Amino acid sequence: MWLAGRQRPNFRTLNRFRSQRMRNVLETVFTAVLQFAQEQTTEKSGSDVA
């Protein structure tokens, strides 16, 4: 807190920071998880056929 002169950001400031900075990261992670799940499903269905 000493770095900010004992001022605290309010919740809107924190939410705005997270939404602006983290949006791309969350989209990337979400896409990667979906792709992984789809690959796992494809591998399982492929191994059942053989």
Side-chain angles (χ1 to χ4, degrees):
M1 292 313 246
W2 62 269
L3 187 62
R6 301 210 185 271
Q7 296 179 358
R8 297 181 189 156
N10 65 13
F11 72 96
R12 285 188 178 98
T13 303
L14 294 174
N15 286 338
R16 187 172 52 244
F17 176 82
R18 283 187 287 212
S19 68
Q20 290 172 351
R21 306 263 191 242
M22 299 300 288
R23 179 173 291 140
N24 292 334
V25 172
L26 290 176
E27 287 177 6
T28 302
V29 170
F30 184 71
T31 303
V33 168
L34 288 178
Q35 288 174 346
F36 176 76
Q38 185 177 18
E39 290 171 4
Q40 295 301 310
T41 303
T42 304
E43 288 177 9
K44 280 187 178 182
S45 65
S47 64
D48 290 343
V49 173

Coordinates of all heavy atoms in Angstrom, one line a residue:
M1 N 0.8 -1.2 0.0 CA 0.0 0.0 0.0 C 0.9 1.3 0.0 O 0.4 2.3 -0.4 CB -0.9 0.0 1.2 CG -2.0 -1.1 1.1 SD -2.8 -1.1 -0.5 CE -4.4 -0.6 -0.1
W2 N 2.1 1.2 0.5 CA 2.9 2.4 0.5 C 3.2 2.9 -0.9 O 3.4 4.1 -1.1 CB 4.2 2.1 1.3 CG 5.0 1.1 0.7 CD1 5.0 -0.3 1.0 CD2 6.0 1.2 -0.3 NE1 5.9 -0.9 0.2 CE2 6.6 0.0 -0.6 CE3 6.5 2.3 -1.0 CZ2 7.6 -0.2 -1.5 CZ3 7.5 2.1 -1.9 CH2 8.1 0.9 -2.2
L3 N 3.3 2.0 -1.8 CA 3.6 2.3 -3.2 C 2.5 3.2 -3.8 O 2.8 4.1 -4.6 CB 3.8 1.0 -4.0 CG 4.3 1.2 -5.4 CD1 5.7 1.9 -5.5 CD2 4.4 -0.1 -6.1
A4 N 1.3 2.9 -3.4 CA 0.1 3.7 -4.0 C -0.3 4.9 -3.1 O -1.3 5.5 -3.3 CB -1.1 2.7 -4.1
G5 N 0.6 5.2 -2.2 CA 0.3 6.4 -1.3 C -0.9 6.1 -0.4 O -1.7 7.0 -0.1
R6 N -1.0 4.8 0.0 CA -2.1 4.4 0.9 C -3.5 4.5 0.3 O -4.5 4.6 1.0 CB -2.1 5.1 2.3 CG -0.8 4.9 3.0 CD -0.9 4.9 4.5 NE 0.3 4.8 5.2 CZ 0.9 3.6 5.5 NH1 0.3 2.5 5.2 NH2 2.0 3.6 6.1
Q7 N -3.6 4.6 -1.0 CA -4.9 4.6 -1.7 C -5.2 3.2 -2.2 O -4.3 2.4 -2.6 CB -4.8 5.5 -2.9 CG -4.6 7.0 -2.5 CD -4.5 7.9 -3.7 OE1 -4.6 7.4 -4.9 NE2 -4.4 9.1 -3.5
R8 N -6.5 2.8 -2.1 CA -6.9 1.5 -2.5 C -7.8 1.7 -3.7 O -8.7 2.5 -3.8 CB -7.7 0.9 -1.4 CG -6.9 0.6 -0.2 CD -7.8 0.0 0.9 NE -7.0 -0.1 2.1 CZ -7.6 -0.2 3.3 NH1 -8.9 -0.2 3.4 NH2 -6.8 -0.2 4.4
P9 N -7.6 0.8 -4.7 CA -8.5 0.9 -5.9 C -9.9 0.3 -5.5 O -10.0 -0.6 -4.7 CB -7.8 0.0 -6.9 CG -7.0 -0.9 -6.1 CD -6.6 -0.2 -4.9
N10 N -10.9 0.8 -6.1 CA -12.2 0.3 -5.9 C -12.5 -0.9 -6.8 O -11.7 -1.3 -7.6 CB -13.3 1.3 -6.0 CG -13.5 1.8 -7.4 OD1 -12.9 1.3 -8.4 ND2 -14.2 2.9 -7.6
F11 N -13.6 -1.6 -6.6 CA -13.9 -2.8 -7.3 C -14.0 -2.6 -8.8 O -13.7 -3.4 -9.6 CB -15.1 -3.5 -6.7 CG -16.4 -2.9 -7.0 CD1 -17.2 -3.3 -8.1 CD2 -16.9 -1.8 -6.2 CE1 -18.4 -2.6 -8.4 CE2 -18.1 -1.2 -6.5 CZ -18.8 -1.6 -7.6
R12 N -14.5 -1.4 -9.2 CA -14.7 -1.1 -10.6 C -13.3 -1.1 -11.3 O -13.1 -1.6 -12.4 CB -15.4 0.2 -10.8 CG -16.9 0.0 -10.6 CD -17.6 1.3 -11.0 NE -19.0 1.1 -10.8 CZ -19.7 1.5 -9.7 NH1 -19.1 2.2 -8.7 NH2 -21.0 1.3 -9.6
T13 N -12.3 -0.5 -10.6 CA -11.0 -0.4 -11.2 C -10.4 -1.8 -11.4 O -9.8 -2.1 -12.4 CB -10.1 0.4 -10.2 OG1 -10.7 1.7 -10.1 CG2 -8.7 0.6 -10.8
L14 N -10.6 -2.6 -10.4 CA -10.0 -4.0 -10.5 C -10.7 -4.8 -11.6 O -10.1 -5.5 -12.3 CB -10.2 -4.7 -9.1 CG -9.3 -4.1 -8.0 CD1 -9.6 -4.8 -6.7 CD2 -7.8 -4.2 -8.3
N15 N -12.0 -4.7 -11.6 CA -12.8 -5.4 -12.7 C -12.4 -4.9 -14.1 O -12.3 -5.7 -15.0 CB -14.3 -5.3 -12.5 CG -14.8 -6.1 -11.3 OD1 -14.1 -7.1 -11.0 ND2 -15.9 -5.8 -10.8
R16 N -12.2 -3.6 -14.2 CA -11.9 -3.1 -15.5 C -10.5 -3.6 -15.9 O -10.2 -4.0 -17.1 CB -11.9 -1.6 -15.5 CG -11.7 -0.9 -16.9 CD -11.9 0.6 -16.8 NE -11.1 1.3 -15.8 CZ -11.7 1.9 -14.8 NH1 -13.0 2.0 -14.6 NH2 -10.9 2.5 -13.9
F17 N -9.6 -3.6 -15.0 CA -8.2 -4.1 -15.2 C -8.2 -5.6 -15.7 O -7.6 -5.9 -16.7 CB -7.3 -4.0 -14.0 CG -6.0 -4.5 -14.1 CD1 -5.0 -3.8 -14.7 CD2 -5.7 -5.8 -13.6 CE1 -3.7 -4.3 -14.9 CE2 -4.4 -6.3 -13.8 CZ -3.4 -5.6 -14.4
R18 N -9.0 -6.4 -14.9 CA -9.1 -7.8 -15.3 C -9.7 -8.0 -16.6 O -9.3 -8.8 -17.4 CB -9.8 -8.6 -14.2 CG -9.0 -8.8 -13.0 CD -9.8 -9.7 -12.0 NE -10.8 -8.9 -11.4 CZ -11.3 -9.2 -10.2 NH1 -10.8 -10.1 -9.5 NH2 -12.3 -8.4 -9.7
S19 N -10.8 -7.3 -16.9 CA -11.5 -7.5 -18.2 C -10.6 -7.1 -19.4 O -10.7 -7.7 -20.4 CB -12.8 -6.8 -18.2 OG -12.7 -5.4 -18.2
Q20 N -9.9 -6.0 -19.2 CA -9.1 -5.5 -20.3 C -7.8 -6.4 -20.5 O -7.4 -6.6 -21.6 CB -8.7 -4.1 -20.1 CG -9.8 -3.1 -20.2 CD -9.4 -1.7 -19.7 OE1 -8.3 -1.4 -19.2 NE2 -10.3 -0.7 -19.9
R21 N -7.2 -6.8 -19.5 CA -5.9 -7.5 -19.6 C -6.1 -9.0 -19.7 O -5.3 -9.6 -20.3 CB -5.1 -7.3 -18.3 CG -4.9 -5.8 -18.0 CD -3.6 -5.3 -18.5 NE -3.3 -4.0 -17.9 CZ -3.2 -2.9 -18.6 NH1 -3.3 -3.0 -19.9 NH2 -2.9 -1.8 -18.1
M22 N -7.1 -9.6 -19.2 CA -7.3 -11.0 -19.1 C -8.2 -11.6 -20.2 O -8.2 -12.8 -20.4 CB -7.8 -11.5 -17.8 CG -6.9 -11.1 -16.6 SD -5.2 -11.8 -16.7 CE -5.6 -13.5 -16.4
R23 N -8.9 -10.8 -21.0 CA -9.8 -11.3 -21.9 C -9.2 -12.2 -22.9 O -9.6 -13.4 -23.2 CB -10.5 -10.2 -22.7 CG -11.5 -10.7 -23.7 CD -12.3 -9.5 -24.3 NE -13.2 -9.0 -23.3 CZ -13.4 -7.7 -23.1 NH1 -12.9 -6.8 -23.9 NH2 -14.3 -7.4 -22.2
N24 N -8.0 -11.8 -23.5 CA -7.4 -12.7 -24.5 C -6.8 -13.9 -23.9 O -6.9 -15.0 -24.5 CB -6.2 -11.9 -25.2 CG -6.8 -10.8 -26.0 OD1 -7.9 -10.8 -26.5 ND2 -5.9 -9.7 -26.2
V25 N -6.3 -13.8 -22.7 CA -5.8 -15.0 -22.0 C -6.9 -16.0 -21.8 O -6.7 -17.2 -22.0 CB -5.1 -14.6 -20.7 CG1 -4.7 -15.9 -19.9 CG2 -3.9 -13.8 -21.0
L26 N -8.0 -15.6 -21.3 CA -9.1 -16.5 -21.0 C -9.7 -17.1 -22.2 O -10.0 -18.3 -22.2 CB -10.2 -15.7 -20.2 CG -9.8 -15.4 -18.8 CD1 -11.0 -14.5 -18.1 CD2 -9.5 -16.6 -17.9
E27 N -9.8 -16.3 -23.3 CA -10.2 -16.9 -24.6 C -9.3 -18.0 -25.1 O -9.7 -19.0 -25.5 CB -10.4 -15.8 -25.6 CG -11.6 -14.9 -25.3 CD -11.7 -13.8 -26.4 OE1 -10.9 -13.7 -27.3 OE2 -12.6 -12.9 -26.2
T28 N -8.0 -17.8 -25.0 CA -7.0 -18.7 -25.4 C -7.1 -20.0 -24.6 O -7.1 -21.1 -25.1 CB -5.6 -18.1 -25.3 OG1 -5.5 -16.9 -26.1 CG2 -4.5 -19.1 -25.8
V29 N -7.2 -19.9 -23.3 CA -7.2 -21.0 -22.4 C -8.5 -21.8 -22.7 O -8.5 -23.0 -22.8 CB -7.1 -20.6 -20.9 CG1 -7.4 -21.8 -20.0 CG2 -5.7 -20.1 -20.6
F30 N -9.6 -21.1 -22.8 CA -10.9 -21.8 -23.0 C -10.9 -22.5 -24.3 O -11.3 -23.7 -24.4 CB -12.0 -20.7 -23.0 CG -13.4 -21.3 -23.2 CD1 -14.0 -22.0 -22.1 CD2 -14.1 -21.2 -24.3 CE1 -15.2 -22.6 -22.2 CE2 -15.4 -21.7 -24.5 CZ -16.0 -22.4 -23.4
T31 N -10.3 -21.9 -25.4 CA -10.2 -22.6 -26.7 C -9.4 -23.9 -26.6 O -9.7 -24.9 -27.1 CB -9.7 -21.6 -27.7 OG1 -10.5 -20.5 -27.8 CG2 -9.6 -22.3 -29.1
A32 N -8.2 -23.7 -25.9 CA -7.3 -24.9 -25.7 C -8.0 -26.0 -25.0 O -7.8 -27.2 -25.3 CB -6.1 -24.4 -25.0
V33 N -8.8 -25.7 -24.0 CA -9.5 -26.8 -23.2 C -10.5 -27.5 -24.1 O -10.6 -28.7 -24.1 CB -10.1 -26.2 -21.9 CG1 -11.1 -27.1 -21.3 CG2 -9.1 -25.7 -20.9
L34 N -11.3 -26.7 -24.9 CA -12.2 -27.3 -25.8 C -11.6 -28.2 -26.8 O -12.1 -29.3 -27.1 CB -13.1 -26.2 -26.5 CG -14.1 -25.4 -25.6 CD1 -14.8 -24.4 -26.4 CD2 -15.1 -26.4 -25.0
Q35 N -10.5 -27.7 -27.4 CA -9.8 -28.5 -28.3 C -9.2 -29.8 -27.7 O -9.3 -30.9 -28.3 CB -8.6 -27.8 -29.0 CG -9.1 -26.7 -29.9 CD -7.9 -25.8 -30.4 OE1 -6.8 -25.8 -29.8 NE2 -8.2 -25.0 -31.4
F36 N -8.7 -29.7 -26.5 CA -8.2 -30.9 -25.8 C -9.3 -31.9 -25.5 O -9.2 -33.1 -25.8 CB -7.6 -30.5 -24.5 CG -7.1 -31.7 -23.6 CD1 -6.0 -32.4 -24.0 CD2 -7.8 -32.1 -22.5 CE1 -5.5 -33.4 -23.2 CE2 -7.4 -33.1 -21.8 CZ -6.3 -33.8 -22.1
A37 N -10.5 -31.4 -25.1 CA -11.6 -32.3 -24.8 C -12.1 -33.0 -26.1 O -12.4 -34.1 -26.1 CB -12.8 -31.5 -24.2
Q38 N -12.1 -32.2 -27.2 CA -12.6 -32.8 -28.4 C -11.6 -33.9 -28.9 O -12.0 -34.9 -29.4 CB -12.7 -31.7 -29.5 CG -13.2 -32.2 -30.8 CD -13.4 -31.1 -31.8 OE1 -12.8 -30.0 -31.7 NE2 -14.2 -31.4 -32.8
E39 N -10.3 -33.6 -28.7 CA -9.3 -34.6 -29.1 C -9.4 -35.9 -28.3 O -9.3 -37.0 -28.8 CB -7.9 -34.1 -29.0 CG -7.5 -33.0 -30.0 CD -6.2 -32.3 -29.7 OE1 -5.6 -32.7 -28.7 OE2 -5.9 -31.3 -30.4
Q40 N -9.7 -35.7 -27.0 CA -9.8 -36.9 -26.1 C -11.1 -37.7 -26.5 O -11.0 -38.9 -26.5 CB -9.9 -36.4 -24.7 CG -8.6 -35.8 -24.1 CD -7.4 -36.7 -24.2 OE1 -7.5 -37.9 -23.8 NE2 -6.3 -36.2 -24.8
T41 N -12.1 -37.0 -26.8 CA -13.3 -37.7 -27.2 C -13.1 -38.4 -28.5 O -13.6 -39.6 -28.7 CB -14.5 -36.7 -27.4 OG1 -14.7 -36.0 -26.2 CG2 -15.8 -37.4 -27.8
T42 N -12.4 -37.8 -29.5 CA -12.1 -38.5 -30.8 C -11.3 -39.7 -30.6 O -11.5 -40.7 -31.2 CB -11.5 -37.5 -31.7 OG1 -12.3 -36.3 -31.8 CG2 -11.2 -38.1 -33.1
E43 N -10.3 -39.6 -29.7 CA -9.4 -40.8 -29.5 C -10.1 -41.9 -28.8 O -9.9 -43.1 -29.2 CB -8.2 -40.3 -28.6 CG -7.2 -39.5 -29.3 CD -6.1 -39.0 -28.4 OE1 -6.0 -39.5 -27.3 OE2 -5.3 -38.1 -28.9
K44 N -11.0 -41.6 -27.9 CA -11.8 -42.7 -27.2 C -12.7 -43.4 -28.2 O -12.8 -44.6 -28.2 CB -12.6 -42.1 -26.0 CG -11.8 -41.8 -24.8 CD -12.6 -41.4 -23.7 CE -11.8 -41.3 -22.4 NZ -12.6 -40.9 -21.3
S45 N -13.4 -42.6 -29.0 CA -14.3 -43.2 -29.9 C -13.6 -44.0 -31.0 O -14.0 -45.0 -31.5 CB -15.2 -42.2 -30.6 OG -14.5 -41.3 -31.4
G46 N -12.4 -43.5 -31.4 CA -11.6 -44.2 -32.4 C -11.0 -45.5 -31.8 O -10.9 -46.5 -32.5
S47 N -10.7 -45.6 -30.5 CA -10.1 -46.8 -30.0 C -11.2 -47.9 -29.7 O -11.0 -49.0 -29.7 CB -9.4 -46.5 -28.7 OG -10.3 -46.0 -27.7
D48 N -12.5 -47.4 -29.5 CA -13.6 -48.4 -29.3 C -13.9 -49.1 -30.6 O -14.3 -50.3 -30.5 CB -14.8 -47.6 -28.8 CG -14.7 -47.1 -27.4 OD1 -13.8 -47.6 -26.7 OD2 -15.4 -46.2 -27.0
V49 N -13.7 -48.5 -31.7 CA -14.0 -49.1 -33.0 C -13.1 -50.2 -33.3 O -13.4 -51.2 -33.9 CB -14.1 -48.0 -34.1 CG1 -14.2 -48.7 -35.5 CG2 -15.1 -47.0 -33.9
A50 N -11.8 -50.0 -33.0 CA -10.8 -51.0 -33.4 C -10.8 -52.2 -32.6 O -11.4 -52.8 -32.0 CB -9.4 -50.4 -33.2

